[in-house]
Amino acid sequence: MSGAVVNDQIDLGTAITGCNPGVDKSLWWKFIGSSLLTFFAGLLVIVGFRTVGHVCCKRTPPAEITHSISGHLRDAVIARGPLPTRELGWVTSLKDWAGILISAQTTTGKILMVFMAFCSLAAFIIYIIYTNEDVIEKCIEFDTTNLLSILDTTNSEYDIASALLLVESILNVFFLIHFGIRFLAASDKLWFWLELSSIVDFCTVPPVFVSIMEKRHYLGLRFFRALAIMQMSDILQFLRILKTSNSIKLVQLVSILFSMWLTAAGLLHLVENAGDVFEDFQNKHVLTYWVCCYVLMVTMSTVGYGDIAPETACGRMIITVFILVGFATFASYVPEIAELISNRKKYGGTYNMERGRRHIVVCGHITYESVSSFIKDFLHEDRDDVDVVIIFLHSGSPDLDLQALFKRHFTQMEFFQGTPMNPNDLERVKLNNADACLILANKYAKDPDAEDAGNIMRVISVKNYTPKIRIITQMLQYHNKAHLLNIPSWNWRDGDDVVCLAELKLGFIAQSCLAPGFSTVMANLFAMRSSPKLGEGENSWLKHYLAGCGNEMYTEYLSTAFSGLTFTQVAEFIFVKLKLLLIAVEVRGDNLESKIEINPGNKVKTEDGTLGFFLAGSAQEVKRAYYYCRHCHDDNQDIRKISECKCKQLAGVTVLKVTRKSDTGTQPPSNLAKKKRPGLTNGGMSPSPSYLRPNSPGAGESGQAIQMLERGGQGALEVHTIPKELDTEVKKYDTTGMFHWCEARDIEKCVLVRNEMSSSMLMNHAVVCVFADRLSPLIGMRNFIMPLRSSNFHYHELKHVILLGDLDYIKREWDTMCNFPKIDILDGSPLNRADLRAVNVNLCDMCVIVSADTGRGFDPTLTDKEAILASLNIKAMTFEDNLLFQPAIGFNQTPERKTTDSPGGGRRTSVEGANIPMITEIVNDSSAQYLDQDDEDDPDTELYMTQPFACGTAFAVSVLDSIMSAAYFNPKSLTLIRTLVTGGATHELETILAEGAGMKGGYSTSETMLSRDRCRVAEVPLLDGPFTQFANEGCYGDLVVNALKTYNTLCFAIYRFRDVHCSTTTPSSKRYVITNPPYEFELAPTDMIFCFMPFEHAGTRRKTKKKRSRDTDRDRVNSAKSC
């Protein structure tokens, strides 16, 4: 038989190798019996001691204790049994010493554990050497009086078996000492006696000492030392060689599989080479140890060649048992090992940094949808030189879609499997050297608070690993931002920031109540979007809209050529000369704290190194403002040639002369150039409102050259005055002076009764339809109310807000809104038309539909069902054509909306619900197609290209994904967004709200009143207002220049009727936004202009020909709008 050597001449029962034939019999029973005797004797002693201790040393609680305890507690104390005997002091000390000695937490324990592992490995190697002699038992010459002579290889009587026995004896002395230490440290001696490591010692240590006594070698159960391989993973962990969960699990599986395989091979080798005991060892089958390993591997893998098979009965019994155990283990462990090895090769490695190349770490909610949305904006082609590697860290393996996405961007993205909660995983992705750490949130989480708590813990872990790293994290709920302030290393001054989705989402929607369509403008500005090429047959409105979508928000430092000029002068020059729109600058105060000023007008002068915020098509265009040089580029007629020059710019600039594009002959003539442009003077214009009063006489002459003078000239700063309405005895504003404030009101006093509302005259208000119940997650309505209560509005300009929804839910949020004035509640349903008529939804300035259902339920496509049904329900309503008084023509008041002006300045309301201004929040982007039944949007159309979004009537939280990228590339952009949409929320206010006591009122001081002096978003009609002269064939560029020079107002977008240039008998009442169109873009008479309007201290109302009655207790009727 191949691979087997059969020797029938040696009778193991009568002759032992190296012994006297016929005299020395096999003593196998002594070797096996020593192990069994040691195990069972020790077990009997331990059980006996426990029994005696339980019976004889039983102690019950003292009677006075049990009598003082009554009822079930006394029964529990008695049933618990005897109190444990108190251990002696020296026993406790010895036990503690033994525990410390073998503990892996100490250096001594680690050294001892590694040493014992090497001893076990050495003992197993000695066993392998023994198996090469093909004998199970033999007599040896072992002189215990002269042990050193045994190791002398030059001695003629040198025997390798004796030398190995000596070395093995020394090793077993160590094993015995280690066993004793572990026995002392064990708290439960019985369980210790039954442990696998203890059984290994029982099988290997006693037979060695029997060999010394009997002077014969017996192979026996020494193969049990192979089970020590199972401890390999623990040892490697203590040595900090294994750090990841995958590597630990891989080593555990491999060590268990190998130790079981090698141990079973030793058992098969013993029984086959010894023979059956009931056959008097006459039927032995000689196999080497490695042949036994081969046989078991073939058996375990179910291959079964059959070339070698066991011949003894005991061997066949072992094979039978091994087939059952080994096959189950092999089938379970091998696929898992293969998967771990493949994953380890893909996602379990370490990031290799490239010199000179930055990288960021992105963790949190990593899915195909979140990653694709993130990289679409982060790696956009309009970004300037994005040489940043994105490292994604996630605990799970990427799915097939995500793997394909990584393969498409393999040069800029890598995925590593791990968690930010594990410092070893953070070390693998080189977080210490990362440029930033971005944490994504699950926008559709069923439990937003739990999702925020998870992200906060990730921030804590990252900051604990490296406190100086910059973190940008997403949060769902505004109130959870307060927990980040408790992290000592969290510092917003160093770039740490939070993108709170509820705060920004509701802020965008609130600003749309003041300027419909503003949410679409801002969403497009902070997202990187390329205008797709449209066919000749496409709608003209879509072309204009997509052209505006190509504008994004960029930051760039201003050239030193603009130092000393006011913001108005710089903005005008850059708009006319460089074709860029400057909307804000970063200003440093006396305490070196920087803040962003949006359209500060003439009260701010630029300095060297001033950071500007621009609207432009790409980052390359914005560089013109940085490269501009008066000496090199003053006569340059091609703005594309403005680049970095070699000359040195002068420290100061005396005069910058700019000529209007309309007066130069360098630009190709347009259609508008052939028409007669309206003058830029104020002649023939109706008296302008007080908030648009000119800042200097004769400042708006058409075609005049712009002279910008340095400090001290005609462009000097305006005198900054304190508002005259300062009242130090009344609390009108919060402590920061950023919001209107009132004493906390009980919710019962703010609840309206539907049957009693027929006598009220609500108009120009905001109706908020809330779909939520008492079990819904909080929406965060405070973030919606705050922008509408900003202090840069006068009290009479505040829009009345009516909350229509479940009263039980609104009560949960009322504590955060009770300090804001002009808020009322109607307990009802947004789907009930009677409730909608009660709040005069047809007379509101904006109807907002929001829902608390952001989770993924049974059918995610139906998440927006309530919002869609409410929107369609309102549009299908009809109303009586009542004559209601309103100041002239409002922002949505046009002939297309079917309203008529009354002789007394009033108007007739629209009889169709489709003409009601409305904005609906949706969760799924695909739900936008259901909001407008007359559009032709394809279901696969991106959200920003759909008609509802372009018209500003739909808003989805997904549009905020791009803000994470914007916050990374422009650290100040997130501050600018908050300034624009939150109404002035500051870090100081967030610290106050973190106390949990809500907003606090403050007395009007000069410092708090100065905070009111900031720009606000407004929508100005072209027909009725200060820009009437541009209504007929006007030019957008001339409008921007005139608004800047005359009124310090910055125009940045147009809100236009969709069918303004279409010849149709039924024109649509829908408007769409056009962001920052070209200079020569022709205006339409019905256009609305988005602008940043400066604050007016002495706020006065526009006078109307008739006075309206108001309910002073509820303030149910707002005053006429200032625009």
mmCIF file with all atom_site columns, all heavy atoms in Angstrom, residues 1010-1021:
data_model
loop_
_atom_site.group_PDB
_atom_site.id
_atom_site.type_symbol
_atom_site.label_atom_id
_atom_site.label_alt_id
_atom_site.label_comp_id
_atom_site.label_asym_id
_atom_site.label_entity_id
_atom_site.label_seq_id
_atom_site.pdbx_PDB_ins_code
_atom_site.Cartn_x
_atom_site.Cartn_y
_atom_site.Cartn_z
_atom_site.occupancy
_atom_site.B_iso_or_equiv
_atom_site.pdbx_formal_charge
_atom_site.auth_seq_id
_atom_site.auth_comp_id
_atom_site.auth_asym_id
_atom_site.auth_atom_id
_atom_site.pdbx_PDB_model_num
ATOM 1  N N   . LEU A 1 1010 ? -27.754 97.626  16.733 1.00 0.00 ? 1010 LEU A N   1
ATOM 2  C CA  . LEU A 1 1010 ? -26.896 97.646  15.551 1.00 0.00 ? 1010 LEU A CA  1
ATOM 3  C C   . LEU A 1 1010 ? -26.985 96.330  14.777 1.00 0.00 ? 1010 LEU A C   1
ATOM 4  O O   . LEU A 1 1010 ? -26.747 96.291  13.586 1.00 0.00 ? 1010 LEU A O   1
ATOM 5  C CB  . LEU A 1 1010 ? -25.444 97.912  15.960 1.00 0.00 ? 1010 LEU A CB  1
ATOM 6  C CG  . LEU A 1 1010 ? -25.096 99.361  16.298 1.00 0.00 ? 1010 LEU A CG  1
ATOM 7  C CD1 . LEU A 1 1010 ? -23.657 99.471  16.762 1.00 0.00 ? 1010 LEU A CD1 1
ATOM 8  C CD2 . LEU A 1 1010 ? -25.343 100.273 15.098 1.00 0.00 ? 1010 LEU A CD2 1
ATOM 9  N N   . SER A 1 1011 ? -27.305 95.204  15.509 1.00 0.00 ? 1011 SER A N   1
ATOM 10 C CA  . SER A 1 1011 ? -27.415 93.941  14.786 1.00 0.00 ? 1011 SER A CA  1
ATOM 11 C C   . SER A 1 1011 ? -28.579 93.919  13.828 1.00 0.00 ? 1011 SER A C   1
ATOM 12 O O   . SER A 1 1011 ? -28.663 93.063  12.964 1.00 0.00 ? 1011 SER A O   1
ATOM 13 C CB  . SER A 1 1011 ? -27.563 92.742  15.703 1.00 0.00 ? 1011 SER A CB  1
ATOM 14 O OG  . SER A 1 1011 ? -27.679 93.053  16.968 1.00 0.00 ? 1011 SER A OG  1
ATOM 15 N N   . ARG A 1 1012 ? -29.528 94.837  13.943 1.00 0.00 ? 1012 ARG A N   1
ATOM 16 C CA  . ARG A 1 1012 ? -30.653 94.898  13.009 1.00 0.00 ? 1012 ARG A CA  1
ATOM 17 C C   . ARG A 1 1012 ? -30.222 95.443  11.646 1.00 0.00 ? 1012 ARG A C   1
ATOM 18 O O   . ARG A 1 1012 ? -30.898 95.191  10.644 1.00 0.00 ? 1012 ARG A O   1
ATOM 19 C CB  . ARG A 1 1012 ? -31.761 95.793  13.565 1.00 0.00 ? 1012 ARG A CB  1
ATOM 20 C CG  . ARG A 1 1012 ? -32.345 95.350  14.900 1.00 0.00 ? 1012 ARG A CG  1
ATOM 21 C CD  . ARG A 1 1012 ? -33.559 96.194  15.253 1.00 0.00 ? 1012 ARG A CD  1
ATOM 22 N NE  . ARG A 1 1012 ? -34.630 96.013  14.288 1.00 0.00 ? 1012 ARG A NE  1
ATOM 23 C CZ  . ARG A 1 1012 ? -35.686 96.818  14.189 1.00 0.00 ? 1012 ARG A CZ  1
ATOM 24 N NH1 . ARG A 1 1012 ? -35.786 97.867  15.004 1.00 0.00 ? 1012 ARG A NH1 1
ATOM 25 N NH2 . ARG A 1 1012 ? -36.618 96.588  13.293 1.00 0.00 ? 1012 ARG A NH2 1
ATOM 26 N N   . ASP A 1 1013 ? -29.125 96.136  11.645 1.00 0.00 ? 1013 ASP A N   1
ATOM 27 C CA  . ASP A 1 1013 ? -28.686 96.793  10.418 1.00 0.00 ? 1013 ASP A CA  1
ATOM 28 C C   . ASP A 1 1013 ? -28.002 95.781  9.507  1.00 0.00 ? 1013 ASP A C   1
ATOM 29 O O   . ASP A 1 1013 ? -26.771 95.710  9.409  1.00 0.00 ? 1013 ASP A O   1
ATOM 30 C CB  . ASP A 1 1013 ? -27.747 97.956  10.753 1.00 0.00 ? 1013 ASP A CB  1
ATOM 31 C CG  . ASP A 1 1013 ? -27.471 98.824  9.532  1.00 0.00 ? 1013 ASP A CG  1
ATOM 32 O OD1 . ASP A 1 1013 ? -28.119 98.591  8.492  1.00 0.00 ? 1013 ASP A OD1 1
ATOM 33 O OD2 . ASP A 1 1013 ? -26.609 99.708  9.612  1.00 0.00 ? 1013 ASP A OD2 1
ATOM 34 N N   . ARG A 1 1014 ? -28.774 94.967  8.845  1.00 0.00 ? 1014 ARG A N   1
ATOM 35 C CA  . ARG A 1 1014 ? -28.244 93.974  7.921  1.00 0.00 ? 1014 ARG A CA  1
ATOM 36 C C   . ARG A 1 1014 ? -29.244 93.770  6.790  1.00 0.00 ? 1014 ARG A C   1
ATOM 37 O O   . ARG A 1 1014 ? -30.432 94.063  6.930  1.00 0.00 ? 1014 ARG A O   1
ATOM 38 C CB  . ARG A 1 1014 ? -27.974 92.647  8.632  1.00 0.00 ? 1014 ARG A CB  1
ATOM 39 C CG  . ARG A 1 1014 ? -29.178 92.000  9.278  1.00 0.00 ? 1014 ARG A CG  1
ATOM 40 C CD  . ARG A 1 1014 ? -28.757 90.829  10.151 1.00 0.00 ? 1014 ARG A CD  1
ATOM 41 N NE  . ARG A 1 1014 ? -29.870 89.992  10.569 1.00 0.00 ? 1014 ARG A NE  1
ATOM 42 C CZ  . ARG A 1 1014 ? -30.636 90.240  11.610 1.00 0.00 ? 1014 ARG A CZ  1
ATOM 43 N NH1 . ARG A 1 1014 ? -30.398 91.325  12.364 1.00 0.00 ? 1014 ARG A NH1 1
ATOM 44 N NH2 . ARG A 1 1014 ? -31.638 89.430  11.923 1.00 0.00 ? 1014 ARG A NH2 1
ATOM 45 N N   . CYS A 1 1015 ? -28.744 93.280  5.687  1.00 0.00 ? 1015 CYS A N   1
ATOM 46 C CA  . CYS A 1 1015 ? -29.579 93.139  4.495  1.00 0.00 ? 1015 CYS A CA  1
ATOM 47 C C   . CYS A 1 1015 ? -30.625 92.051  4.678  1.00 0.00 ? 1015 CYS A C   1
ATOM 48 O O   . CYS A 1 1015 ? -30.498 91.166  5.518  1.00 0.00 ? 1015 CYS A O   1
ATOM 49 C CB  . CYS A 1 1015 ? -28.702 92.795  3.293  1.00 0.00 ? 1015 CYS A CB  1
ATOM 50 S SG  . CYS A 1 1015 ? -28.190 94.248  2.376  1.00 0.00 ? 1015 CYS A SG  1
ATOM 51 N N   . ARG A 1 1016 ? -31.631 92.127  3.860  1.00 0.00 ? 1016 ARG A N   1
ATOM 52 C CA  . ARG A 1 1016 ? -32.663 91.107  3.833  1.00 0.00 ? 1016 ARG A CA  1
ATOM 53 C C   . ARG A 1 1016 ? -33.023 90.821  2.380  1.00 0.00 ? 1016 ARG A C   1
ATOM 54 O O   . ARG A 1 1016 ? -32.804 91.637  1.478  1.00 0.00 ? 1016 ARG A O   1
ATOM 55 C CB  . ARG A 1 1016 ? -33.894 91.568  4.590  1.00 0.00 ? 1016 ARG A CB  1
ATOM 56 C CG  . ARG A 1 1016 ? -34.547 92.801  3.998  1.00 0.00 ? 1016 ARG A CG  1
ATOM 57 C CD  . ARG A 1 1016 ? -35.715 93.249  4.847  1.00 0.00 ? 1016 ARG A CD  1
ATOM 58 N NE  . ARG A 1 1016 ? -36.409 94.385  4.267  1.00 0.00 ? 1016 ARG A NE  1
ATOM 59 C CZ  . ARG A 1 1016 ? -37.427 95.004  4.819  1.00 0.00 ? 1016 ARG A CZ  1
ATOM 60 N NH1 . ARG A 1 1016 ? -37.859 94.592  5.997  1.00 0.00 ? 1016 ARG A NH1 1
ATOM 61 N NH2 . ARG A 1 1016 ? -38.016 96.020  4.243  1.00 0.00 ? 1016 ARG A NH2 1
ATOM 62 N N   . VAL A 1 1017 ? -33.592 89.657  2.176  1.00 0.00 ? 1017 VAL A N   1
ATOM 63 C CA  . VAL A 1 1017 ? -34.010 89.257  0.833  1.00 0.00 ? 1017 VAL A CA  1
ATOM 64 C C   . VAL A 1 1017 ? -35.366 89.874  0.536  1.00 0.00 ? 1017 VAL A C   1
ATOM 65 O O   . VAL A 1 1017 ? -36.263 89.879  1.390  1.00 0.00 ? 1017 VAL A O   1
ATOM 66 C CB  . VAL A 1 1017 ? -34.075 87.729  0.722  1.00 0.00 ? 1017 VAL A CB  1
ATOM 67 C CG1 . VAL A 1 1017 ? -34.514 87.318  -0.673 1.00 0.00 ? 1017 VAL A CG1 1
ATOM 68 C CG2 . VAL A 1 1017 ? -32.725 87.119  1.043  1.00 0.00 ? 1017 VAL A CG2 1
ATOM 69 N N   . ALA A 1 1018 ? -35.514 90.402  -0.658 1.00 0.00 ? 1018 ALA A N   1
ATOM 70 C CA  . ALA A 1 1018 ? -36.779 91.013  -1.057 1.00 0.00 ? 1018 ALA A CA  1
ATOM 71 C C   . ALA A 1 1018 ? -37.039 90.703  -2.522 1.00 0.00 ? 1018 ALA A C   1
ATOM 72 O O   . ALA A 1 1018 ? -36.135 90.323  -3.279 1.00 0.00 ? 1018 ALA A O   1
ATOM 73 C CB  . ALA A 1 1018 ? -36.761 92.521  -0.824 1.00 0.00 ? 1018 ALA A CB  1
ATOM 74 N N   . GLU A 1 1019 ? -38.295 90.860  -2.895 1.00 0.00 ? 1019 GLU A N   1
ATOM 75 C CA  . GLU A 1 1019 ? -38.718 90.672  -4.271 1.00 0.00 ? 1019 GLU A CA  1
ATOM 76 C C   . GLU A 1 1019 ? -39.451 91.929  -4.700 1.00 0.00 ? 1019 GLU A C   1
ATOM 77 O O   . GLU A 1 1019 ? -40.504 92.257  -4.146 1.00 0.00 ? 1019 GLU A O   1
ATOM 78 C CB  . GLU A 1 1019 ? -39.622 89.438  -4.379 1.00 0.00 ? 1019 GLU A CB  1
ATOM 79 C CG  . GLU A 1 1019 ? -39.369 88.627  -5.633 1.00 0.00 ? 1019 GLU A CG  1
ATOM 80 C CD  . GLU A 1 1019 ? -40.156 87.327  -5.609 1.00 0.00 ? 1019 GLU A CD  1
ATOM 81 O OE1 . GLU A 1 1019 ? -41.358 87.399  -5.307 1.00 0.00 ? 1019 GLU A OE1 1
ATOM 82 O OE2 . GLU A 1 1019 ? -39.586 86.271  -5.875 1.00 0.00 ? 1019 GLU A OE2 1
ATOM 83 N N   . VAL A 1 1020 ? -38.918 92.654  -5.633 1.00 0.00 ? 1020 VAL A N   1
ATOM 84 C CA  . VAL A 1 1020 ? -39.451 93.958  -6.031 1.00 0.00 ? 1020 VAL A CA  1
ATOM 85 C C   . VAL A 1 1020 ? -40.106 93.830  -7.399 1.00 0.00 ? 1020 VAL A C   1
ATOM 86 O O   . VAL A 1 1020 ? -39.482 93.333  -8.341 1.00 0.00 ? 1020 VAL A O   1
ATOM 87 C CB  . VAL A 1 1020 ? -38.338 95.020  -6.071 1.00 0.00 ? 1020 VAL A CB  1
ATOM 88 C CG1 . VAL A 1 1020 ? -38.902 96.369  -6.486 1.00 0.00 ? 1020 VAL A CG1 1
ATOM 89 C CG2 . VAL A 1 1020 ? -37.645 95.115  -4.723 1.00 0.00 ? 1020 VAL A CG2 1
ATOM 90 N N   . PRO A 1 1021 ? -41.360 94.241  -7.546 1.00 0.00 ? 1021 PRO A N   1
ATOM 91 C CA  . PRO A 1 1021 ? -41.996 94.198  -8.872 1.00 0.00 ? 1021 PRO A CA  1
ATOM 92 C C   . PRO A 1 1021 ? -41.430 95.278  -9.779 1.00 0.00 ? 1021 PRO A C   1
ATOM 93 O O   . PRO A 1 1021 ? -41.141 96.394  -9.354 1.00 0.00 ? 1021 PRO A O   1
ATOM 94 C CB  . PRO A 1 1021 ? -43.472 94.438  -8.553 1.00 0.00 ? 1021 PRO A CB  1
ATOM 95 C CG  . PRO A 1 1021 ? -43.474 95.200  -7.278 1.00 0.00 ? 1021 PRO A CG  1
ATOM 96 C CD  . PRO A 1 1021 ? -42.274 94.726  -6.503 1.00 0.00 ? 1021 PRO A CD  1
#
